[in-house]
Amino acid sequence: MAATPERRLLEPWQDPKAAPYVRIERLTKQFGDVYAVDDINLNIFKGEFFSLLGSSGCGKSTLLRLLAGLEYPTAGKIYIDGVDVTRVPPYSRPVNMMFQSYALFPHMSVEQNIEFGLKQDRLPRKERTERIAEMLDLLKITDLRKRRPNQISGGQRQRVALARSLAKHPKLLLLDEPLGALDKRLRENTQFELVNLQERLGTTFVTVTHDQEEAMTMSTRIAVMEAGQIMQVDTPTAIYEFPTCRFVAEFIGSVNLFEGKVMASEGNEILVEAAAGFTIRMRSYQPHPLGTPVTVAIRPEKMRLCPAYDPNGVNQIKGIVEDIAYLGDVSIYRIRVGEGKLVEMTLTNIQPRTEQALTWEQEVAIEWSPTSGVVLSE
Amino acid sequence: MKRRSWPLLGILAFGYAFLYVPILLLILYSFNESRLVTVWSGFSFKWYGELMHNHQLLDAAWLSVRVAATNASVAIVLGTLAANALVRHGRFRGRSGFELLLTAPLVMPDVIIGLSLLLLFVAMQHTIGWPDGRGFTTITIAHITFSTAYVAVVVRSRLAQMDRSLEEAAMDLGARPLGVYTRITLPLIAPALFSGWLLAFTLSLDDLVIASFVSGPGSTTLPMVVYSSVRMGVSPQINALATLIVAVVTLAVLIAGISLRRDSKR
């Protein structure tokens, strides 16, 4: 059952020939007048750790429940491993779910909780015992097997819930805010454990989260959702570095947005005249006709202090430090440039704070590389 | 750490006394030798002996227990079904009407329930020939009508508190709806079912007014016998009977409590 990680030239989602493991086609779920899931198309591949990321009410949980069969769609289809499961009831789907509240049965011991699903499958006793032992061992909760859910800690409950949902060896494991109920420190450790577990088992995981760090750390790919729609699906790196729309850029991390017009196009670079009164030179991966209004996104950590300001230099602007937020490892500076436009810059605090050069109201010059900007669609 | 607060203890003692001294007195006087209920003349089991030969009283007690048990058992099923409909099935058509009708017996005066049921039973006997006369059946039916309402209230609050995702998790793990209900829902609402059953049993055992309307000759419940005999002067036999009932109830509650505690420890 341990999947051997293969070296592939192409990740499955880059390979047009790869068959998706979970195929979601034009899926819509309406509650009254509200479209919780609005005409979604999505492919998830075998062995992925896929995250649905979004703020509350964006439809990510509904999408997960549709996959579990706890809700039926208003329109559209869901295929799992090539089989149309759109109308298959939850108890007949090769899918298991770990609930946000864990939903452990309070009147059963840890062992009985894990055994519940196996009993429903009419597995012989010997196999059940083996499977329980395997799960207890996998999640290192063998000592807890006789306890009741109310006699163990939150972190232990999370493990039991995970063991219970993995016990049936589902084709697809759904996790609803799997780390939501844990405190911060435990959450960080558990993130890595969850990823290791997933890699070891090779099971396809689909998780729902509102925590972008969590999604970035764990996922092979992330789907950013908003108002029942998927705004962008991509790897964590691509989502962060190359957001395609304003929503995604602003939702993940912080970002400086500059509105402007395309002024010139030279080879694979374009010049954007920013409304704030300076010119941005940047890499562009698609053609932009001259005069098109665009929004350019630049991450604060891509900004740096400019040692030698040159009025004709590339992407160099002057400004005045207006705010400083000291976070320990980094400091965030807000720099006023042009007409009231604030630019955020993050600098790593290499020197102790007292040694820092920048202070309030100081005039500084900042710069960024032409490869740092991204053009967003609305 | 543990400092005694005498005023608080005093209030506690008063509270317990208020609740239990009458019952203790009743138990005490059941061992009274005297025929007069209020005068103590010596310890004796005499009234227990006489009780064993008082067939009127024993029959009435037996009838009451049968009615109460049947009533409680039927009411628990109907009440649970009603609670399920209210909690689990969202806003179905006629929900508020259903809710109103279900809970109406809680506030309806007993006299009205009794009278209306009597009229119904008489009319039914005339038209369809059932129920044939009045007795065990009619009293039980009458009790079920209001007990169901109480059971529904108790079970409903428990069901509403229950985390819905437990049932969803069971279903997700492969249990069909019936399996989910018997393996997850029922065990989790069992305490409410138990207390609902006891409540229905007690209400029925207690009822005088409704039973007086819908009982017939030869079917007299215990409260009716007690009430009519009180008018002719209380016999200490009634104290003895009451003591026995208190003993049985206490035992039942103790057993239930112990088994519940053992269950939650396991």
Side-chain angles (χ1 to χ4, degrees):
Chain A
M1 69 179 268
T4 45
E6 305 163 40
R7 278 218 167 270
R8 315 173 260 227
L9 286 172
L10 284 176
E11 294 293 351
W13 52 89
Q14 297 167 319
D15 181 359
K17 280 177 291 183
Y21 198 57
V22 179
R23 203 164 87 230
I24 295 169
E25 273 177 13
R26 306 211 58 183
L27 200 66
T28 298
K29 175 68 182 176
Q30 249 179 297
F31 293 110
D33 295 338
V34 182
Y35 284 84
V37 169
D38 190 0
D39 202 13
I40 281 181
N41 289 299
L42 183 65
N43 288 331
I44 299 171
F45 296 88
K46 197 171 170 113
E48 267 204 270
F49 196 125
F50 195 92
S51 291
L52 300 168
L53 176 64
S55 43
S56 66
C58 71
K60 56 190 192 306
S61 293
T62 307
L63 183 53
L64 200 73
R65 291 171 62 82
L66 286 166
L67 282 171
L70 298 171
E71 307 277 355
Y72 292 123
T74 315
K77 295 249 174 249
I78 302 172
Y79 300 88
I80 295 174
D81 202 7
V83 181
D84 181 355
V85 297
T86 317
R87 296 280 151 195
V88 174
Y91 44 84
S92 309
R93 288 194 190 197
V95 171
N96 285 123
M97 176 151 161
M98 191 185 126
F99 289 74
Q100 186 173 9
S101 62
Y102 305 145
L104 296 177
F105 306 132
H107 57 301
M108 297 183 191
S109 68
V110 165
E111 208 169 38
Q112 289 167 326
N113 263 283
I114 299 173
E115 194 179 20
F116 186 87
L118 306 172
K119 269 190 175 164
Q120 305 307 316
D121 278 2
R122 306 258 151 75
L123 238 61
R125 176 178 289 276
K126 190 167 159 284
E127 251 175 273
R128 291 205 307 259
T129 322
E130 281 170 14
R131 200 76 81 79
I132 294 168
E134 173 197 330
M135 286 302 142
L136 289 169
D137 188 48
L138 184 70
L139 287 146
K140 306 187 193 77
I141 47 174
T142 310
D143 295 344
L144 307 175
R145 65 185 188 281
K146 296 287 178 204
R147 305 255 197 105
R148 290 283 179 103
N150 61 0
Q151 296 166 327
I152 59 180
S153 74
Q156 292 169 331
R157 265 178 234 167
Q158 194 251 8
R159 284 163 178 277
V160 177
L162 201 54
R164 187 179 71 178
S165 50
L166 281 169
K168 293 182 75 169
H169 293 166
K171 288 186 172 176
L172 182 64
L173 183 72
L174 309 171
L175 304 103
D176 191 358
E177 300 272 1
L179 310 174
L182 304 180
D183 58 57
K184 194 168 164 22
R185 190 165 292 269
L186 192 55
R187 193 154 64 212
E188 282 167 9
N189 294 333
T190 317
Q191 278 175 11
F192 293 111
E193 259 185 70
L194 208 54
V195 173
N196 290 338
L197 186 71
Q198 191 265 342
E199 280 173 356
R200 234 163 89 202
L201 297 175
T203 310
T204 311
F205 279 28
V206 177
T207 140
V208 151
T209 178
H210 66 274
D211 183 332
Q212 38 157 309
E213 266 179 47
E214 194 178 298
M216 302 278 285
T217 322
M218 301 195 297
S219 321
T220 53
R221 285 192 305 155
I222 298 172
V224 181
M225 287 186 69
E226 167 67 6
Q229 292 178 325
I230 291 180
M231 309 306 283
Q232 188 174 356
V233 185
D234 222 322
T235 59
T237 324
I239 291 259
Y240 186 80
E241 301 289 348
F242 306 107
T244 53
C245 63
R246 200 175 178 137
F247 178 83
V248 174
E250 288 187 305
F251 189 78
I252 313 265
S254 30
V255 69
N256 293 299
L257 295 177
F258 301 104
E259 270 144 38
K261 277 202 176 84
V262 180
M263 253 173 44
S265 173
E266 303 164 8
N268 60 1
E269 286 189 344
I270 55 171
L271 280 177
V272 176
E273 171 85 68
F278 46 87
T279 311
I280 302 168
R281 176 183 285 274
M282 57 180 295
R283 208 46 86 68
S284 173
Y285 300 90
Q286 66 239 69
H288 291 279
L290 298 189
T292 332
V294 290
T295 305
V296 177
I298 304 168
R299 298 283 181 195
E301 75 280 3
K302 307 276 195 281
M303 304 273 182
R304 54 182 183 256
L305 284 171
C306 172
Y309 177 70
D310 170 5
N312 299 316
V314 174
N315 295 338
Q316 297 187 352
I317 49 174
K318 281 195 150 180
I320 290 165
V321 178
E322 196 163 292
D323 273 320
I324 305 177
Y326 172 71
L327 302 184
D329 52 348
V330 295
S331 289
I332 300 168
Y333 301 90
R334 284 189 158 174
I335 296 155
R336 185 201 299 277
V337 300
E339 299 126 31
K341 177 80 187 170
L342 284 175
V343 173
E344 224 170 74
M345 169 172 73
T346 313
L347 293 181
T348 310
N349 292 325
I350 299 167
Q351 300 289 330
R353 173 144 212 220
T354 46
E355 310 281 316
Q356 273 168 30
L358 289 186
T359 179
W360 287 270
E361 300 300 330
Q362 186 180 341
E363 202 186 48
V364 290
I366 55 174
E367 63 172 355
W368 63 91
S369 141
T371 53
S372 299
V374 181
V375 175
L376 303 179
S377 70
E378 268 322 292
Chain B
M1 281 295 282
K2 277 187 184 171
R3 221 184 322 141
R4 288 211 171 90
S5 150
W6 293 111
L8 272 183
L9 280 179
I11 292 170
L12 183 72
F14 177 78
Y16 277 132
F18 184 74
L19 289 172
Y20 291 109
V21 163
I23 295 175
L24 286 177
L25 272 180
L26 179 135
I27 293 173
L28 190 67
Y29 275 103
S30 75
F31 298 108
N32 190 1
E33 228 246 295
S34 163
R35 161 159 284 282
L36 296 166
V37 179
T38 47
V39 181
W40 181 262
S41 64
F43 185 87
S44 140
F45 280 112
K46 160 171 140 195
W47 302 113
Y48 287 87
E50 281 197 21
L51 175 69
M52 290 305 125
H53 300 291
N54 186 339
H55 285 293
Q56 192 207 1
L57 207 55
L58 286 180
D59 287 351
W62 177 233
L63 177 71
S64 272
V65 168
R66 269 162 56 224
V67 167
T70 315
N71 157 61
S73 306
V74 177
I76 205 75
V77 174
L78 293 179
T80 305
L81 290 175
N84 258 301
L86 283 174
V87 178
R88 288 287 185 254
H89 291 274
R91 294 203 191 122
F92 55 88
R93 253 180 101 138
R95 184 183 195 276
S96 43
F98 179 68
E99 203 177 342
L100 190 74
L101 287 175
L102 181 69
T103 47
L106 297 180
V107 289
M108 198 83 81
D110 283 357
V111 179
I112 294 179
I113 298 183
L115 185 61
S116 63
L117 282 168
L118 175 63
L119 293 176
L120 175 76
F121 289 142
V122 171
M124 278 172 72
Q125 196 182 357
H126 278 298
T127 49
I128 61 170
W130 186 89
D132 189 15
R134 284 175 297 286
F136 174 80
T137 313
T138 50
I139 301 172
T140 310
I141 292 175
H143 283 182
I144 289 169
T145 57
F146 70 86
S147 296
T148 300
Y150 284 92
V151 171
V153 168
V154 173
V155 176
R156 182 188 178 178
S157 72
R158 176 81 187 191
L159 261 183
Q161 278 169 22
M162 199 180 129
D163 184 2
R164 193 74 219 264
S165 61
L166 291 173
E167 288 170 346
E168 288 179 345
M171 209 183 278
D172 180 67
L173 289 167
R176 279 153 196 282
L178 189 67
V180 174
Y181 202 76
T182 53
R183 279 160 208 230
I184 304 299
T185 316
L186 280 183
L188 289 178
I189 61 170
L193 296 184
F194 179 72
S195 52
W197 194 91
L198 272 188
L199 184 66
F201 186 87
T202 315
L203 285 169
S204 165
L205 205 59
D206 209 30
D207 169 67
L208 171 65
V209 180
I210 297 175
S212 312
F213 276 100
V214 297
S215 69
S219 61
T220 318
T221 63
L222 185 64
M224 289 162 74
V225 172
V226 173
Y227 183 69
S228 58
S229 65
V230 163
R231 277 187 302 185
M232 291 177 263
V234 188
S235 155
Q237 285 176 34
I238 290 181
N239 286 355
L241 183 66
T243 304
L244 287 179
I245 291 176
V246 168
V248 168
V249 167
T250 311
L251 200 68
V253 168
L254 274 180
I255 290 171
I258 290 169
S259 74
L260 274 181
R261 178 173 297 183
R262 195 177 290 163
D263 201 47
S264 67
K265 264 191 191 154
R266 190 154 38 83

